[in-house]
Amino acid sequence: MDAGTPLEDPRLLSHKVVTIAAGEAHTLALSGDGNVYAWGRGTLGRLGTGLEKDEHFPIQIDFDLAHKSPEGKRLKFVEVAAGAYHSLALAVSMFILDCNMDGQLGVNGEHALLPCLLDRFHELGSPDSFTDESETNSRKPLKISSVKAGGMMSLAIDNLGALWMWGNCPQQSSSSDGEFSLASSPTPLPVWLFYGHTVVKVACGNEHVVALVSAGETYKGGDLVCYSWGNNNHGQLGLGDTESRLHPEIVQKFNDSSPWAVYAVACGAFHTALIALDDRSSDTVSSVCWTFGLGDKGQLGHGTTKNSLLPEPVLGLPKNLFLLSIDCGLFHTSVVSLAGDVWSWGMEKGLGLCPVASFTGADAGDALSPLPISCDGPHHPKFPGPVQVACGAAHTVLVADDGYKLWSWGRGRNGVLGTGKTVDCFSPTTVLWPPQLEDFKEESVEVSHVKKSKGKDPSRTMEMEKTLSMAMEEMKLLNSRLSKMEMYASILHGAIFGKPFEERDIPISLQNSGAFDIAKEWENMLESSDRAKLIRLEVFYRNMLAGVKDKLLKRRIQEIVKDYLDSSTSGND
């Protein structure tokens, strides 16, 4: 290094955000000095604080002293990722935060309130070593270079460019004729189709995966091919139909002979977004945003609420600009340009909010095309020094000012916006960053260590401690069960009504008396529903009924074939 080159002030590195990630209702930030911060909803331990309480502003995650590096130094983290209810942090070794409902942590057992080390990769070698038994004993532990998460799924790319998946993932099968299904795996599994190629970037939605893979064995820049697989019920794979895929298939718009050089990918729950450069234009650098999949809330930015089975360009974005970052929420999409311009589109003016408690009158409605998001600072309307944009289920976070300032907007419940409040924000609001730890310190109370009072019987004190400990364990068990039930209700409610489950959605009779007349409540719900909601229910019912009829037909065909084979066998005897 040149002696005249100034070193960056290490004190400022702790204030600089180098990357962020957003889950269903929580946000993660990685600082320049390698520390991880979290805020938002704490249910299921997704914040890694050891508790399930919400945090309304960024707090540093305290990785246990037992997880220090071999030299005794604190681990330095290099990447973070957030699924719907879990978190990942990548360091010298990979640490996992949060719940373990479907194995997305890569560990067995209940959900984790504190960071856990994912040591499965230390037991595995690279995919090529799996094919050579003579090298099994000499395998070296894998080094992970990148992590991603979405829904209840976790993904990792190793230093050789191989892709690994665990959690609630599309089931891999040696046959191409099997039915699509999700399989829960706590063990990272390689995606064999990419052997001999380099996976450069990957993203996943609730049940689908999209990967950018080198056309050749190594990545040479600008030669990425787009693959997709998983659930395709809304066309989110971009393959021109709604048939789900067990194995990765090429999205033909971005194949190895395409004039579009794709360089960024993001997945919402049921839609996909890509950014590509036009290789045919040598005079200017011009990015184009492409989207496909579910479009019922305008999240595709095509000017309609129709689904798209093939990649189509987003309408309304200016030409001749370079898009720096893109991300997708549950029903919205956001991008930021190198110049600091931000656009969002989808549910509730692109804010990702549910329609019940935000805009009213003429301002209400979804944004079917990109809407500019303005900064109120001196650089209005641009955000200075943009770095990255990240979308949660119903909120958006932007890193700008070269990493030293964060803005957020959208649904603010559980403190997910990091503003210290729990109110919704319809325009960008500054996050409380950097955290002023001295101002927010709280006294910690260790319930497990009950102080003995003078003059009290020691045996009675021990009995009280034992009873208290048992009560705490019972509370943890009940809380775990309640969290699982809440997650199941949220997923089911979202699939039927197209919006996250909230407390106001609990039927009035159940809120008031604890009794629930399902037939009466269903009738009341239908009576109070508008036309759009009734149409959505009708579509859901038809799809569900068609799926049941299809399954019954397949079962009947299987029975007929089996009976025929059995009769043929007995006849030959």
Side-chain angles (χ1 to χ4, degrees):
M1 178 181 290
D2 186 353
T5 303
L7 293 174
E8 190 167 6
D9 189 339
R11 291 173 297 176
L12 294 180
L13 283 178
S14 63
H15 294 175
K16 182 176 183 177
V17 173
V18 294
T19 189
I20 52 173
E24 176 258 349
H26 74 293
T27 310
L28 303 174
L30 175 67
S31 61
D33 61 348
N35 285 310
V36 180
Y37 295 80
W39 62 95
R41 194 173 191 182
T43 308
L44 298 173
R46 69 195 79 180
L47 301 184
T49 62
L51 302 171
E52 294 193 77
K53 76 182 188 95
D54 300 342
E55 298 292 348
H56 298 169
F57 48 81
I59 61 165
Q60 184 178 335
I61 298 175
D62 183 16
F63 290 84
D64 193 84
L65 295 177
H67 299 317
K68 284 185 178 180
S69 65
E71 295 80 14
K73 298 178 181 179
R74 299 288 295 185
L75 284 171
K76 183 176 181 179
F77 291 85
V78 295
E79 192 171 13
V80 292
Y85 312 106
H86 71 290
S87 305
L88 308 179
L90 177 63
V92 177
S93 299
M94 190 163 68
F95 284 78
I96 310 299
L97 319 178
D98 191 10
C99 64
N100 195 33
M101 296 286 291
D102 289 281
Q104 62 265 43
L105 298 191
V107 292
N108 291 316
E110 287 296 319
H111 61 271
L113 304 183
L114 287 171
C116 322
L117 174 64
L118 173 58
D119 53 10
R120 300 290 178 115
F121 281 108
H122 293 274
E123 304 167 6
L124 300 172
S126 59
D128 57 339
S129 68
F130 280 46
T131 61
D132 189 345
E133 294 184 4
S134 64
E135 296 182 9
T136 300
N137 296 328
S138 62
R139 264 186 228 147
K140 293 182 179 180
L142 282 174
K143 291 184 178 180
I144 302 303
S145 58
S146 179
V147 291
K148 289 292 180 183
M152 294 181 171
M153 197 185 317
S154 298
L155 309 168
I157 301 174
D158 66 30
N159 56 315
L160 299 178
L163 177 63
W164 301 78
M165 304 172 59
W166 66 98
N168 204 33
C169 308
Q171 185 174 17
Q172 298 189 67
S173 170
S174 57
S175 170
S176 59
D177 301 327
E179 293 183 7
F180 168 78
S181 63
L182 296 173
S184 298
S185 172
T187 302
L189 302 173
V191 180
W192 294 103
L193 184 74
F194 298 141
Y195 176 68
H197 297 267
T198 300
V199 179
V200 178
K201 294 188 177 182
V202 68
C204 60
N206 278 10
E207 298 179 355
H208 76 289
V209 186
V210 182
L212 305 183
V213 185
S214 65
E217 185 174 348
T218 58
Y219 175 51
K220 300 177 181 178
D223 63 337
L224 295 179
V225 177
C226 182
Y227 289 82
S228 63
W229 68 102
N231 194 346
N232 194 33
N233 54 349
H234 300 289
Q236 58 263 48
L237 300 186
L239 301 176
D241 55 45
T242 56
E243 294 295 323
S244 299
R245 303 298 200 276
L246 294 173
H247 306 287
E249 289 191 17
I250 294 177
V251 179
Q252 292 302 323
K253 174 63 74 172
F254 307 106
N255 59 25
D256 56 358
S257 60
S258 171
W260 296 99
V262 59
Y263 64 90
V265 60
C267 293
F270 308 108
H271 75 289
T272 305
L274 297 157
I275 311 178
L277 293 173
D278 189 351
D279 277 352
R280 298 167 297 185
S281 176
S282 58
D283 298 332
T284 59
V285 176
S286 180
S287 300
V288 175
C289 180
W290 302 78
T291 55
F292 44 94
L294 182 67
D296 63 340
K297 304 298 179 185
Q299 58 265 50
L300 300 184
H302 297 165
T304 72
T305 56
K306 295 181 179 179
N307 295 354
S308 180
L309 306 184
L310 290 169
E312 294 183 22
V314 173
L315 302 176
L317 290 175
K319 297 181 179 179
N320 301 326
L321 57 81
F322 182 80
L323 295 177
L324 181 67
S325 173
I326 187 168
D327 204 10
C328 301
L330 193 63
F331 298 113
H332 75 291
T333 309
S334 295
V335 294
V336 57
S337 74
L338 185 61
D341 299 294
V342 177
W343 293 270
S344 287
W345 57 93
M347 179 175 278
E348 280 304 298
K349 299 296 182 183
L351 295 175
L353 290 164
C354 298
V356 288
S358 53
F359 297 103
T360 58
D363 289 331
D366 303 329
L368 308 185
S369 299
L371 292 179
I373 305 295
S374 298
C375 176
D376 289 333
H379 300 275
H380 175 83
K382 299 178 183 293
F383 292 84
V387 176
Q388 183 192 353
V389 66
C391 298
H395 76 287
T396 305
V397 183
L398 176 73
V399 184
D401 198 16
D402 298 321
Y404 290 99
K405 196 168 184 180
L406 282 72
W407 284 266
S408 62
W409 59 93
R411 190 171 64 186
R413 291 166 199 168
N414 309 108
V416 69
L417 299 183
T419 61
K421 303 176 182 178
T422 58
V423 297
D424 298 343
C425 292
F426 307 119
S427 61
T429 305
T430 53
V431 176
L432 292 176
W433 181 269
Q436 302 299 318
L437 298 180
E438 293 77 9
D439 296 337
F440 297 113
K441 279 184 178 177
E442 296 179 346
E443 295 183 3
S444 59
V445 180
E446 300 251 347
V447 181
S448 59
H449 300 287
V450 181
K451 292 184 178 180
K452 298 181 179 180
S453 302
K454 291 183 179 181
K456 289 195 174 182
D457 185 0
S459 60
R460 184 175 180 181
T461 302
M462 291 179 62
E463 185 67 27
M464 289 176 62
E465 290 181 359
K466 183 179 179 181
T467 303
L468 181 59
S469 177
M470 292 174 62
M472 291 296 293
E473 289 297 320
E474 182 68 19
M475 287 178 62
K476 287 172 63 177
L477 178 61
L478 291 173
N479 197 35
S480 173
R481 291 175 177 173
L482 179 62
S483 297
K484 292 178 181 179
M485 293 172 63
E486 182 182 8
M487 185 185 297
Y488 175 75
S490 181
I491 294 172
L492 186 61
H493 191 272
I496 298 175
F497 298 105
K499 66 184 186 72
F501 180 77
E502 299 180 15
E503 188 173 350
R504 65 168 63 79
D505 295 317
I506 299 176
I508 299 297
S509 62
L510 194 59
Q511 292 183 30
N512 296 337
S513 64
F516 182 56
D517 186 338
I518 187 170
K520 183 178 179 181
E521 289 295 342
W522 179 257
E523 183 64 29
N524 292 339
M525 188 273 292
L526 292 178
E527 282 292 331
S528 61
S529 297
D530 57 18
R531 184 173 182 275
K533 190 172 183 179
L534 291 173
I535 291 175
R536 183 177 182 88
L537 287 170
E538 182 185 21
V539 171
F540 176 81
Y541 173 75
R542 285 181 177 177
N543 290 341
M544 183 176 65
L545 186 61
V548 172
K549 288 182 176 179
D550 184 56
K551 181 65 69 174
L552 287 172
L553 181 61
K554 289 181 179 178
R555 292 276 175 85
R556 181 55 184 157
I557 293 174
Q558 290 173 351
E559 291 172 359
I560 294 173
V561 172
K562 185 177 182 299
D563 291 342
Y564 174 77
L565 292 176
D566 291 343
S567 62
S568 300
T569 303
S570 60
N572 292 333
D573 293 341

